[in-house]
């Protein structure tokens, strides 16, 4: 069956040179307190447009209001494309549930479409068109061969149908290589003052308990090219660090954390360690010393400096008496999950 995906575009910029547009759609069934269909548009991981099936209206954010003012029909087009995409997602979810022999329950169908463009060379860099079902890959478009790839057996039928539809494949390529890039350039032009800004973060040292790793947390920086790492005597560490991913904040800035395993660090050596934050385009680094007095902990009332001092004395006592000591530490953490959806600003029909 021919499947026409109507996309909705807002643009995304990923660095001062390479700009990228990402479009996310999510359809779902029986998810409590969540719309049946959501569309989200991002620029540089900053949300600039939103649509959901509850309100049935598109809401521009940030500089997209300037775009809407100059192109009044854009908002109506964006809303209409989401309405049509919602109907497609409802039908697709029913097809997928039958394909997997499922009846009711919570299920999600997602799609991400986008492109990348170099604003220095003016070159098309990359494009992507991916589908997922219940958190697993469903279909991926290989732009080198312009063919669909099916990661699962259940997707083979859909893959074959789409690969046989040459007109639809051509439409996908036209959208990703032409329409997407043209829109991306327009949005970058309108959002230049926001996208090219530089914002330094606030940096904090966090620790769940005296036996946990110390986390250096930087939040509120922009763009998303922040490096965060620990050093000892000015030398970057590798073996003791656990580098976290760069994650978006709700205001369009970013955050990142890096943990330091202090289980083998002697209390008297803590002053040799520093957390360093570096931001692309900014010469001066933000340096935070590993100081027990500034560490924020989940255990109010515990004086971290006092704990370190007592541990040091006990350690010396144990060394003197037995000559042997073993410290064990457990690092428990989690990785937040991000679900976004976007839209585009010119009719196109990638599958």
């Amino acid at each position: 069956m021919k499947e026409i995906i109507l996309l909705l575009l807002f643009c995304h910029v990923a660095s001062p040179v390479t700009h990228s547009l990402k479009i996310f759609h999510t359809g779902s069934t029986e998810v409590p307190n969540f719309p049946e269909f959501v569309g989200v548009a991002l620029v540089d991981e900053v949300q600039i447009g939103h649509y959901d099936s509850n309100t049935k209206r598109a809401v521009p954010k940030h500089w997209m209001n300037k775009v809407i003012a100059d192109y009044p029909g854009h908002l109506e087009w964006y809303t209409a494309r989401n309405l049509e995409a919602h109907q497609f997602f409802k039908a697709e979810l029913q097809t997928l549930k039958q394909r997997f022999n499922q009846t009711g329950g919570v299920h999600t169908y997602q799609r991400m479409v986008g492109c990348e463009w170099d604003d220095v060379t003016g070159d098309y860099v990359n494009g992507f068109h991916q589908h997922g079902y219940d958190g697993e890959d469903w279909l991926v478009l290989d732009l080198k061969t312009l063919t669909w790839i099916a990661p699962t057996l259940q997707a083979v039928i859909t893959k074959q149908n789409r690969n046989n539809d040459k007109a639809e494949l051509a439409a996908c390529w036209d959208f990703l290589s032409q329409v997407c890039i043209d829109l991306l350039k327009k949005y970058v032009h309108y959002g230049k003052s926001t996208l090219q800004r530089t914002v330094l973060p606030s940096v904090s040292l966090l620790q769940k308990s005296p036996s946990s790793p110390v986390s250096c947390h930087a939040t509120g920086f922009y763009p998303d090219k922040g490096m965060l790492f620990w050093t000892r005597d000015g030398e970057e560490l590798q073996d003791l660090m656990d580098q976290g991913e760069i994650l978006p904040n709700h205001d369009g800035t970013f955050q990142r954390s890096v943990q330091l395993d202090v289980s083998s660090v002697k209390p008297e050596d803590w002053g040799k360690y520093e957390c360093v934050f570096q931001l692309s385009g900014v010469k001066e680094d933000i340096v935070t010393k590993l100081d027990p007095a500034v560490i924020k902990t989940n255990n109010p009332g515990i004086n971290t400096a006092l704990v370190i001092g007592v541990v040091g004395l006990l350690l010396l006592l144990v060394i003197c008496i037995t000559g042997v000591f073993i410290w064990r530490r457990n690092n428990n953490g989690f990785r937040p999950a991000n679900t976004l959806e976007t839209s585009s600003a010119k009719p196109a029909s990638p599958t």
Side-chain angles (χ1 to χ4, degrees), residues 57 219 264:
R57 57 187 293 264
T219 185
S264 60

Side-chain angles (χ1 to χ4, degrees), residues 329-341:
R329 297 292 184 266
N330 293 324
N331 180 12
N332 298 321
F334 66 95
R335 177 182 297 177
N338 240 350
T339 301
L340 294 175
E341 298 250 331

Side-chain angles (χ1 to χ4, degrees), residues 238-254:
Q238 295 293 339
D239 53 341
L240 298 179
M241 287 196 308
D242 182 12
Q243 183 77 54
E245 297 179 359
I246 294 179
L247 302 173
N249 292 322
H250 72 280
D251 61 356
T253 61
F254 299 89

Side-chain angles (χ1 to χ4, degrees), residues 76-103:
E76 287 74 15
W77 178 89
Y78 179 70
T79 299
R81 299 292 78 76
N82 273 282
L83 286 167
E84 296 176 34
H86 179 201
Q87 297 306 312
F88 166 80
F89 270 59
K90 288 177 67 174
E92 192 70 2
L93 276 166
Q94 293 302 316
T95 300
L96 290 173
K97 285 194 293 183
Q98 294 175 8
R99 194 81 58 83
F100 284 90
N101 295 318
Q102 298 165 337
T103 54

Side-chain angles (χ1 to χ4, degrees), residues 22-57:
K22 292 183 180 178
I23 303 165
F24 297 87
H25 289 146
T26 296
S28 61
T29 60
E30 300 185 31
V31 179
N33 304 316
F34 193 77
E36 190 176 64
F37 177 82
V38 175
V40 179
L42 308 176
V43 171
D44 218 6
E45 309 304 334
V46 178
Q47 183 180 337
I48 60 167
H50 175 270
Y51 172 93
D52 68 68
S53 54
N54 289 346
T55 62
K56 292 183 174 57
R57 57 187 293 264

Side-chain angles (χ1 to χ4, degrees), residues 210-212 261-264 325-331:
S211 63
S212 302
D261 181 6
V262 295
S263 61
S264 60
F325 67 93
I326 299 175
W327 283 23
R328 295 179 179 175
R329 297 292 184 266
N330 293 324
N331 180 12

Side-chain angles (χ1 to χ4, degrees), residues 88-259:
F88 166 80
F89 270 59
K90 288 177 67 174
E92 192 70 2
L93 276 166
Q94 293 302 316
T95 300
L96 290 173
K97 285 194 293 183
Q98 294 175 8
R99 194 81 58 83
F100 284 90
N101 295 318
Q102 298 165 337
T103 54
V106 174
H107 299 285
T108 59
Y109 178 55
Q110 297 175 291
R111 177 178 66 202
M112 181 183 74
V113 181
C115 58
E116 294 179 337
W117 162 69
D118 190 318
D119 69 353
V120 173
T121 65
D123 294 336
Y124 167 86
V125 177
N126 188 26
F128 33 88
H129 194 155
Q130 304 170 6
H131 296 242
Y133 180 62
D134 283 351
E136 301 291 338
D137 288 341
W138 173 247
L139 284 176
V140 178
L141 182 61
D142 184 345
L143 292 181
K144 294 181 179 179
T145 61
L146 202 59
T147 57
W148 289 98
I149 299 172
T152 64
L153 181 62
Q154 290 86 348
V156 171
I157 296 176
T158 303
K159 179 198 74 170
Q160 293 173 342
N161 290 338
R162 292 189 175 187
N163 284 337
N164 290 332
D165 193 340
K166 303 304 180 183
E168 197 64 31
L169 286 171
C172 285
W173 173 248
D174 179 69
F175 177 83
L176 295 175
S177 63
Q178 299 294 328
V179 178
C180 181
I181 296 298
D182 290 343
L183 289 167
L184 175 56
K185 291 178 180 179
K186 177 184 294 185
Y187 295 134
V188 168
H189 173 73
Y190 273 85
K192 187 171 295 184
S193 61
T194 299
L195 300 175
Q196 293 184 351
R197 76 191 192 280
T198 297
V199 183
L200 293 175
S202 61
V203 180
S204 304
L205 299 183
L206 311 173
Q207 192 176 33
K208 294 180 180 179
S209 69
S211 63
S212 302
V214 175
S215 177
C216 182
H217 182 68
T219 185
F221 62 89
Y222 190 94
D224 63 341
K225 299 299 177 184
M227 297 296 296
L228 190 65
F229 54 89
W230 285 97
T231 65
R232 176 188 166 96
D233 293 329
E235 296 293 329
E236 184 176 348
L237 298 174
Q238 295 293 339
D239 53 341
L240 298 179
M241 287 196 308
D242 182 12
Q243 183 77 54
E245 297 179 359
I246 294 179
L247 302 173
N249 292 322
H250 72 280
D251 61 356
T253 61
F254 299 89
Q255 60 174 292
R256 191 172 200 174
S257 296
V258 58
Q259 292 186 332

